[in-house]
Amino acid sequence: MRPILIPEYLKDFSCIGSACEDTCCVGWNIVVEKKTYQTYRKVRQPEMEDKLLKYVKRNRKPTTPYTSW
């Protein structure tokens, strides 16, 4: 298994969903470069593979210069 780096505060974080007054994460889209996307597609660890297939999608209609590959 590969080590995963996470911020220290994440251990104590608990999302409160609709009770959150900030809603800063609503509609989040995270842009990754082509090389990272291709790496994600090669993952064969069952737990991660399922999540990557479900949540990581290629944007074929770029909306920013960073997604135009």
Side-chain angles (χ1 to χ4, degrees):
M1 291 194 46
R2 289 185 173 182
I4 297 174
L5 301 175
I6 62 170
E8 282 291 321
Y9 64 83
L10 194 57
K11 292 185 286 186
D12 300 321
F13 176 78
S14 179
C15 179
I16 58 174
S18 61
C20 180
E21 62 189 43
D22 295 322
T23 62
C24 57
C25 61
V26 172
W28 270 11
N29 288 310
I30 308 298
V31 177
V32 296
E33 76 281 353
K34 185 176 185 177
K35 184 177 177 182
T36 299
Y37 176 81
Q38 290 171 337
T39 300
Y40 288 168
R41 288 290 172 228
K42 294 177 185 174
V43 170
R44 295 298 171 248
Q45 181 186 23
E47 180 181 320
M48 288 303 299
E49 184 179 18
D50 292 344
K51 289 178 180 171
L52 290 169
L53 286 172
K54 182 176 180 180
Y55 296 113
V56 178
K57 303 295 179 196
R58 181 172 177 188
N59 179 3
R60 294 187 181 273
K61 295 181 183 177
T63 56
T64 72
Y66 304 108
T67 57
S68 61
W69 44 269

